Amino acid sequence: LFQPSHLRPATRLARWAMPALLATAPLVGAVPAMLDSDFADYGVLLTSNGISADLHTIAHLPLPDGGSVAVFTYRHTTEMPCASQRVCIGLLRFNDHGSIIDASLGGISLSLTTANAATLDAQGRIVVVGAVEIAEGPDHDFMIARMHLDGTPDTSFGSGGKTRVHFDQGGDNYDAAYAVTIDGSGRIVVVGEAERNAINNSDYAIVRLLPNGQPDPSFGINSSGKRLISFDLSANSPTDVATGVAVDADGKILIAGTVRDTDLGIKRIG
């Protein structure tokens, strides 16, 4: 998923197929993949769907009943109005062959300043994570929002379809979410960074929410649903940022990211 450099930005999507002869082969080193020629134009779809706004795809998710949905962001324009200084969320649904079957493009604002990742839960609802600016300053909090496939906010989640989570460890209190997954109990696990006392000083930040958007009291410190992890390998730039998350079959949370801006940091927590 990427955005090409065109005068009229577009959403570009690709779907990959694994050759059958490799499907059951041991995974040794890097496994080659090939584009799925049954999807769109030999596995690649380039579309702006008639919209001149600056589009950025953040996820392309398979749907349980077939087809897929692309989740993308765009900024406020006259053609595509949404809340000022906020990111709007758009959805494009495709059939198995890459034809657009539904679009939800107008004015979906979930109070996000940035949207960085999305996933689909077992009920077919889309969970989007990012950050929200506080009082027009450098202070940002995690923002987690959930919507239906028609683009409407899921009002059974959090407050009006969204939940804000702050860590506020110091400095400019810049907290931002970069990845999300859902465990076997429907709990939402979100990871990112939480600034501490200065720029380039941050920790892995993890929050686990119940399906209704409330913090999970069984997780984190003092039943907060939140946890911080620090590596601090560099005294000059102790920047630890979590950018990937998954949950294994035992329910343990696997987190990956960068440490000191250059090293790979991997943790597993219960």
Side-chain angles (χ1 to χ4, degrees):
L1 302 179
F2 56 93
Q3 178 175 329
S5 299
H6 284 72
L7 293 178
R8 183 166 179 160
T11 299
R12 189 166 190 140
L13 304 168
R15 189 175 72 176
W16 299 86
M18 188 70 65
L21 66 132
L22 293 179
T24 57
L27 302 182
V28 180
V31 179
M34 17 180 335
L35 288 168
D36 182 356
S37 60
D38 290 332
F39 180 79
D41 185 10
Y42 294 96
V44 175
L45 174 67
L46 177 63
T47 179
S48 64
N49 204 44
I51 304 302
S52 59
D54 191 11
L55 311 181
H56 297 270
T57 306
I58 61 171
H60 186 201
L61 308 170
L63 295 173
D65 296 331
S68 58
V69 59
V71 185
F72 64 91
T73 67
Y74 62 93
R75 290 287 182 182
H76 170 87
T77 66
T78 302
E79 179 186 6
M80 302 294 296
C82 68
S84 177
Q85 302 302 314
R86 292 290 183 261
V87 163
C88 289
I89 306 297
L91 306 176
L92 283 176
R93 292 177 63 188
F94 305 91
N95 63 19
D96 282 332
H97 300 291
S99 297
I100 296 174
I101 58 175
D102 186 39
S104 181
L105 298 169
I108 306 168
S109 178
L110 295 169
S111 299
L112 292 150
T113 307
T114 61
N116 299 315
T119 192
L120 202 69
D121 70 9
Q123 286 73 46
R125 299 169 298 195
I126 297 171
V127 179
V128 180
V129 302
V132 59
E133 184 183 44
I134 307 300
E136 297 185 1
D139 186 356
H140 282 66
D141 289 346
F142 277 30
M143 180 63 83
I144 304 97
R146 193 167 71 193
M147 67 178 71
H148 300 290
L149 279 175
D150 63 1
T152 58
D154 178 5
T155 56
S156 69
F157 180 83
S159 175
K162 53 187 181 289
T163 293
R164 182 167 63 90
V165 177
H166 63 86
F167 290 85
D168 292 350
Q169 295 298 297
D172 290 331
N173 288 324
Y174 185 86
D175 306 329
Y178 298 124
V180 58
T181 192
I182 298 175
D183 69 13
S185 299
R187 296 173 298 192
I188 300 165
V189 183
V190 183
V191 302
E193 66 172 316
E195 186 179 21
R196 291 199 294 189
N197 55 12
I199 297 175
N200 297 326
N201 187 343
S202 61
D203 290 342
Y204 280 21
I206 308 100
V207 61
R208 189 165 73 187
L209 303 177
L210 298 173
N212 63 4
Q214 299 303 311
D216 181 359
S218 69
F219 180 81
I221 306 301
N222 297 324
S223 302
S224 66
K226 301 181 290 186
R227 182 170 176 183
L228 295 168
I229 297 175
S230 60
F231 291 83
D232 292 349
L233 298 183
S234 169
N236 296 323
S237 180
T239 306
D240 306 332
V241 180
T243 55
V245 63
V247 177
D248 68 15
D250 296 325
K252 293 186 174 63
I253 301 170
L254 308 174
I255 306 166
T258 56
V259 175
R260 200 184 54 192
D261 293 330
T262 57
D263 295 331
L264 177 66
I266 300 174
K267 283 280 189 178
R268 186 175 76 176
I269 61 178

